[in-house]
Amino acid sequence: MTCSERRVDDVVILALRGRFVLGAGFRLRPRVVELLDKGERQIALDMAGVTYMDSTSVGDVVMSWKEATDTDAILRLFGLGERLAQLFSFHHLNEILEPFVDEAAAIASFEAS
């Protein structure tokens, strides 16, 4: 699992790649907390490169979203493939996490907030 970071205007985009599983050497929540501690308030997760997620990693995304909302920040997801979209829908996470189709839609959602 890898995570690269870039910025588009006031939005920090974390691009996740590979198998997002326990033991993959990457935990999302600590990275999100670090960004929040630095004052970032708009974070988008690019999930297009995620090939698989286990339940622990789904929990990591949910806890990252909770950390963001608890600090009046916004965390968005975009680029979920069909398999991940089904996973999020099955667990009704799409109702709270609002996944977006692509980067442009996710960034526009921050402007509308």
Side-chain angles (χ1 to χ4, degrees):
M1 178 66 172
T2 63
C3 176
S4 59
E5 181 180 319
R6 62 188 173 86
R7 178 177 292 281
V8 175
D9 300 321
D10 292 333
V11 179
V12 175
I13 298 174
L14 299 177
L16 308 176
R17 302 286 179 257
R19 292 176 53 87
F20 194 1
V21 296
L22 180 65
F26 174 76
R27 302 292 297 163
L28 179 63
R29 184 172 171 247
R31 182 65 191 125
V32 168
V33 168
E34 183 180 325
L35 290 168
L36 296 170
D37 287 347
K38 290 180 179 178
E40 299 295 347
R41 292 294 170 256
Q42 298 178 349
I43 302 168
L45 304 180
D46 176 356
M47 305 290 285
V50 176
T51 57
Y52 177 81
M53 287 182 77
D54 65 5
S55 60
T56 302
S57 298
V58 172
D60 200 15
V61 171
V62 171
M63 291 306 297
S64 297
W65 171 82
K66 183 172 180 354
E67 290 283 353
T69 57
D70 286 351
T71 59
D72 294 323
I74 302 170
L75 185 136
R76 302 274 198 241
L77 293 97
F78 68 91
L80 293 175
E82 184 177 335
R83 176 177 272 163
L84 292 183
Q86 289 174 349
L87 175 68
F88 277 71
S89 177
F90 178 79
H91 292 289
H92 302 281
L93 296 174
N94 57 331
E95 296 168 17
I96 61 167
L97 294 172
E98 287 187 78
F100 292 86
V101 174
D102 58 25
E103 181 177 312
I107 290 173
S109 76
F110 288 110
E111 295 167 1
S113 296

